[in-house]
Amino acid sequence: MFVTIYAQLVLAAAVIVVAFAFSKGDEPERMGAGAYAVAFLATTMIKGGVAPNLPRWGPMGVEIIMLVVFIGIAWHSRRSWPIWAASCQAVVVTCHAMVAANLRPPADAAAAVNNMANYGVLLAMAIGTFWAWQERRALEQMEAPGAASRRP
């Protein structure tokens, strides 16, 4: 399945972002990364031999579940990245809905929209993880012994 260099680069980017979120993120980032990893594996394992203009119900169901997960994380978190991730995921679900409603979007355009929106999800997760990591480091430095002498 990952025979082209493009597919391998996308897989590498996804693995790097998910590993970064698991290692440096807080609970919302880990939940998002775990859900993304499970969804990535699920859509990879679903048989995809259908024509590009026919709806793929399995991946569409996985994408809808991902949208609900990101909305849930955004609802219960004070972070802003889940809102961006949910917005990008909503674009993916909308693209699947267009194909299911037989609105006949060009297959290349639908694939490009799905790919770019998935990059948006990864980018939002990576940026959110970075800021959570930096906030945690700043708090640890403020609470460290001798931090009172460093304060202005």
Side-chain angles (χ1 to χ4, degrees):
M1 171 138 216
F2 300 106
V3 292
T4 65
I5 190 70
Y6 174 75
Q8 293 169 0
L9 289 174
V10 171
L11 175 64
V15 167
I16 288 168
V17 170
V18 167
F20 179 58
F22 274 125
S23 66
K24 300 293 183 183
D26 291 333
E27 184 179 358
E29 290 79 22
R30 289 179 182 149
M31 287 174 46
Y36 188 88
V38 168
F40 190 87
L41 289 173
T43 55
T44 302
M45 292 189 322
I46 294 174
K47 188 168 177 88
V50 294
N53 59 346
L54 294 176
R56 298 182 61 210
W57 298 107
M60 183 178 176
V62 172
E63 302 290 359
I64 290 171
I65 292 169
M66 279 296 298
L67 177 60
V68 170
V69 166
F70 283 132
I71 290 172
I73 293 171
W75 189 270
H76 293 290
S77 174
R78 61 177 181 85
R79 313 236 189 240
S80 62
W81 75 266
I83 297 169
W84 288 97
S87 300
C88 292
Q89 191 64 32
V91 170
V92 173
V93 170
T94 302
C95 193
H96 280 290
M98 285 177 54
V99 173
N102 200 17
L103 295 178
R104 298 180 191 181
D108 292 341
V113 166
N114 278 342
N115 288 339
M116 295 314 251
N118 274 311
Y119 298 149
V121 170
L122 282 174
L123 184 63
M125 194 180 319
I127 291 171
T129 301
F130 176 77
W131 285 115
W133 175 40
Q134 294 302 307
E135 287 175 4
R136 191 173 56 252
R137 282 184 58 199
L139 284 174
E140 288 171 356
Q141 288 178 356
M142 293 297 289
E143 294 172 354
S149 62
R150 288 182 273 179
R151 291 186 198 162

